[in-house]
Amino acid sequence: MLVAGIKSRPEYKGLDVDAHAKRHLFVLEGEGAQALIDQVGAKGRDFLAKSEILYLAAAAAPKAYDVALSALSPDVFWHAPTLQPLLFRLRACLDLARMGTRLYIAGTEGFIGQIMQVAMEYGIDYHSIHTEHRGSAARRVQCVHCKGITDNVTTSPFACTHCGLPLLVRDHYSRRLGAFQGVNIDAEEPGTAPAPEEMFP
Amino acid sequence: MTITFRNETFRDDFTFRNSLYNIRRFPFPFDRDEYMYSVNMEPHVRGKKDSVFENLIDVDEHYVAEMLDRALVLKEDPLRCQALPHMMAAQWDTLELLMEHQAQDYSEHFTLTKNGDRWRWINRPMGIDDTFTFGDPSTLPYPPMEYITRQAQGDFCIVDQRDNNLWMDAGMVTTQADWSLDFDIGMNFMEWHGPVPLAHQIGVFDRALKFLLNLQQGKPTRRLNWTMTVNPRLDTSPENYHKWGPDRATVTPENVGEKMHLRVELQSLWRLPRSNAILFVIRCYLISFNELVTVPKWGRRLPRVLKSLPPEIVDYKGLTRNRPIMLDWLEKYDDGSPTSPGIFPD
Ligand code: HEM
């Protein structure tokens, strides 16, 4: 079974602010804040007046990126306490979004995947979304057996948090589910799973 | 031709067997003594009588038992049959194609009568006689793709064509060689083929995609693909890998002839008329090693092929554990004489 080097694995090409967009919607998590700050360094401040930023601090809370982001004085800055209200607010933004709005996502892969899922529900073509992976390499993984999703997986194998089977984490990725595939590692000889190895720190 | 349908199982007591007639018509996938991935496509046209190519949608003695097995899989896991909302026209295209072919080539078993949009479908082996309005899903007991693929052998994917790519946007997949429709639905051609080793690097998928994007209506194409399965189990899904995986550890030199099965997929691809989607039919055939070596040419060739396989393919097809046992057993049937070109028995 092919584990690594699978072509469904997404590529994150960088935020790369689009000078022609009428409006910019940035959805950022944790270290993803720095991706936007770097764009300001590279491209200047002009786009900020047309920008709305939704930010979830998550694991980067101690770094107080929210202060740095609001100091950029974008048109709108909103700091989400957790993912759920962020998704709720995102839907409201997408309901109101006009033609010419560009969506940007930066943060961990699991976060990018979940924001993409919402965007795709709104009919946004995934090719048009600018993404940048920042922060931990932890993965969001779906157990192919029970279909339960486990967030922030850093090892392979890991125990499915739903059905308990030890799962091998493959590079095979579903955009629709926003998750990598986890497959039982000791199916042929139950009880022989190797010890978890830190693969996605 | 009247087919006598076998009463048999693909799980638990595994009573599946092939008749002598079915062994002779098995689509042996190797036309030479070695194997490597290639763009092995040819026009899907009628072939020899008494071969699986005789009719373009093949129905055989396992039909009824396979449909019962499919119904069991769907009871356990309804996600094996899914269609994205924009695929309704393609679902009707699929229903029409399968009904027309089955009724035309197996008229003793299936009858389709059209009276404008009012269609009557009779499936005698399954005891079905339904009248419905073509184009109106509320007149069928299931959505159209599910309805007809509960009555047609093989797995089915319907791929939508847009942005110069193909998208797996619907399917009925209960007899798969270890891949998940639920995981892959919505992916494009390169993404769902992501897990396949070697073939991307040698350009197989680039050329295959280009070819398919130009597929014409009325000119279906086909290819053979293969793997090995322990026990005649149709449902070797990743979903159930923790249930069938242990079978791989039960193969011994004594039972390999009975337990190990060559699993061949006759894949055909059809451009659909209304939706412009492509129907991908994956018709699965199983044959035990014991049955296979009754054809001397196949018994000679299979060990040669198995020896020549690149390690990446051995690993991908899940053959690593049992290859030595298979080779030891099969090599008894290879007397070293030359084999004739092509897949058919001598
Ligand atoms: C649109 C039609 C097609 C569909 C829906 C389809 C689907 C698939 C799927 C789901 C897999 C399993 C991948 C996995 O391991 O997860 C696969 C494997 C594969 N496909 Fe396709 N495929 C299509 C057409 C083709 C064509 C035209 C070729 C021609 C070269 C091809 C060549 C292969 C090969 C070589 C493999 C690896 C099989 C093995 O070694 O057992 N496919 N395909």
Side-chain angles (χ1 to χ4, degrees):
Chain A
M1 173 181 295
L2 203 59
V3 176
I6 295 181
K7 290 206 185 250
S8 56
R9 187 174 190 342
E11 285 176 46
Y12 306 102
K13 294 186 175 150
L15 281 194
D16 190 22
V17 167
D18 169 9
H20 302 293
K22 294 212 178 75
R23 196 160 171 85
H24 310 275
L25 175 57
F26 293 95
V27 188
L28 311 174
E29 180 224 27
E31 297 291 337
Q34 190 62 47
L36 174 57
I37 294 167
D38 290 351
Q39 282 291 298
V40 175
K43 304 225 165 153
R45 312 181 53 95
D46 285 358
F47 69 89
L48 289 166
K50 297 187 286 181
S51 294
E52 173 159 0
I53 303 174
L54 310 183
Y55 182 62
L56 174 67
K63 298 203 181 165
Y65 282 120
D66 55 314
V67 178
L69 288 173
S70 76
L72 294 175
S73 322
D75 182 35
V76 179
F77 172 74
W78 187 70
H79 187 187
T82 63
L83 182 63
Q84 193 199 34
L86 180 112
L87 294 176
F88 193 75
R89 168 88 180 228
L90 171 66
R91 286 175 195 282
C93 291
L94 294 177
D95 274 333
L96 299 172
R98 306 228 184 103
M99 287 289 287
T101 302
R102 168 88 51 201
L103 176 63
Y104 306 83
I105 315 170
T108 58
E109 283 199 85
F111 178 82
I112 297 173
Q114 290 175 85
I115 303 301
M116 289 270 254
Q117 271 183 308
V118 175
M120 280 158 50
E121 274 171 40
Y122 281 79
I124 301 176
D125 178 2
Y126 72 91
H127 285 116
S128 75
I129 303 171
H130 293 205
T131 54
E132 187 159 332
H133 180 198
R134 291 278 180 128
S136 120
R139 291 184 173 189
R140 191 171 135 87
V141 182
Q142 189 201 40
C143 171
V144 75
H145 312 289
C146 78
K147 309 286 180 190
I149 288 181
T150 303
D151 281 300
N152 291 316
V153 173
T154 57
T155 67
S156 183
F158 76 100
C160 173
T161 51
H162 305 271
C163 70
L165 283 174
L167 303 179
L168 170 79
V169 180
R170 307 178 77 193
D171 272 1
H172 203 19
Y173 182 86
S174 161
R175 211 177 300 113
R176 189 182 66 96
L177 300 167
F180 288 91
Q181 188 175 65
V183 180
N184 186 199
I185 195 168
D186 62 349
E188 298 183 16
E189 284 180 89
T192 60
E197 203 181 320
E198 178 93 0
M199 303 279 276
F200 321 110
Chain B
M1 193 194 68
T2 303
I3 306 166
T4 309
F5 298 105
R6 299 176 77 92
N7 179 2
E8 60 191 0
T9 57
F10 300 91
R11 55 181 70 211
D12 306 322
D13 56 351
F14 296 109
T15 58
F16 166 92
R17 301 288 179 276
N18 286 298
S19 66
L20 286 176
Y21 175 75
N22 237 52
I23 292 174
R24 297 286 299 180
R25 77 198 289 280
F26 188 82
F28 188 70
F30 307 113
D31 62 356
R32 65 196 76 183
D33 291 352
E34 61 196 18
Y35 177 80
M36 179 51 186
Y37 291 142
S38 63
V39 189
N40 55 337
M41 288 193 273
E42 61 177 14
H44 189 38
V45 291
R46 284 177 192 276
K48 288 188 193 180
K49 191 169 160 6
D50 299 327
S51 79
V52 296
F53 307 116
E54 181 175 352
N55 296 312
L56 298 187
I57 295 293
D58 180 47
V59 177
D60 71 10
E61 62 190 17
H62 307 298
Y63 174 77
V64 173
E66 286 188 22
M67 294 303 98
L68 286 173
D69 195 73
R70 164 155 297 160
L72 289 176
V73 173
L74 290 169
K75 267 203 182 120
E76 283 172 15
D77 182 2
L79 296 176
R80 302 298 186 86
C81 179
Q82 296 190 47
L84 299 183
H86 61 277
M87 297 302 279
M88 195 42 95
Q91 291 198 40
W92 286 107
D93 279 334
T94 300
L95 174 137
E96 174 182 56
L97 189 149
L98 294 174
M99 283 185 178
E100 284 187 343
H101 278 268
Q102 293 192 0
Q104 174 197 310
D105 293 329
Y106 303 92
S107 53
E108 313 85 296
H109 302 300
F110 307 97
T111 304
L112 177 64
T113 319
K114 295 183 184 176
N115 185 356
D117 284 349
R118 277 312 266 179
W119 291 20
R120 180 174 176 200
W121 168 248
I122 304 174
N123 175 339
R124 290 179 200 86
M126 293 178 74
I128 292 169
D129 181 347
D130 283 330
T131 299
F132 61 95
T133 305
F134 187 86
D136 180 356
S138 70
T139 59
L140 282 172
Y142 297 104
M145 175 188 73
E146 176 167 358
Y147 178 77
I148 194 58
T149 58
R150 280 175 178 269
Q151 303 178 51
Q153 282 173 279
D155 280 346
F156 298 85
C157 299
I158 315 180
V159 300
D160 196 23
Q161 181 160 334
R162 38 178 216 276
D163 305 334
N164 257 319
N165 213 327
L166 298 173
W167 303 83
M168 194 186 288
D169 287 347
M172 166 68 93
V173 178
T174 65
T175 69
Q176 70 267 49
D178 207 5
W179 66 277
S180 165
L181 173 72
D182 182 51
F183 197 80
D184 286 6
I185 194 168
M187 288 189 189
N188 67 38
F189 191 84
M190 294 304 168
E191 290 170 344
W192 81 62
H193 279 123
V196 181
L198 304 175
H200 290 274
Q201 292 82 331
I202 57 176
V204 163
F205 290 125
D206 286 324
R207 276 176 292 142
L209 175 60
K210 212 165 161 192
F211 181 85
L212 292 183
L213 290 173
N214 292 308
L215 186 68
Q216 302 296 309
Q217 199 193 318
K219 293 190 175 158
T221 182
R222 70 175 168 233
R223 62 183 293 267
L224 293 172
N225 186 49
W226 68 277
T227 187
M228 306 267 189
T229 303
V230 179
N231 296 328
R233 188 190 292 276
L234 284 176
D235 174 19
T236 49
S237 56
E239 277 81 358
N240 283 332
Y241 177 47
H242 55 309
K243 299 180 188 157
W244 56 265
D247 290 1
R248 287 204 176 138
T250 65
V251 179
T252 65
E254 292 71 41
N255 68 19
V256 57
E258 176 195 335
K259 272 200 176 276
M260 194 58 81
H261 289 70
L262 179 62
R263 180 187 192 107
V264 175
E265 296 172 349
L266 167 51
Q267 307 178 337
S268 58
L269 294 125
W270 310 69
R271 175 71 68 192
L272 298 173
R274 298 172 187 76
S275 55
N276 198 43
I278 291 176
L279 176 65
F280 183 62
V281 182
I282 311 155
R283 179 72 168 79
C284 170
Y285 298 85
L286 292 165
I287 191 169
S288 70
F289 277 16
N290 279 342
E291 291 171 344
L292 185 127
V293 298
T294 61
V295 176
K297 172 174 165 183
W298 298 348
R300 280 187 199 111
R301 182 166 284 168
L302 187 57
R304 299 179 193 178
V305 169
L306 213 48
K307 246 186 295 186
S308 78
L309 282 182
E312 292 87 348
I313 295 185
V314 173
D315 176 62
Y316 174 72
K317 291 182 188 283
L319 309 180
T320 312
R321 175 189 298 270
N322 289 314
R323 195 165 79 129
I325 297 181
M326 290 192 257
L327 272 175
D328 272 353
W329 189 88
L330 284 168
E331 281 177 339
K332 292 186 302 222
Y333 298 90
D334 182 5
D335 59 7
S337 36
T339 51
S340 60
I343 65 175
F344 294 105
D346 287 324

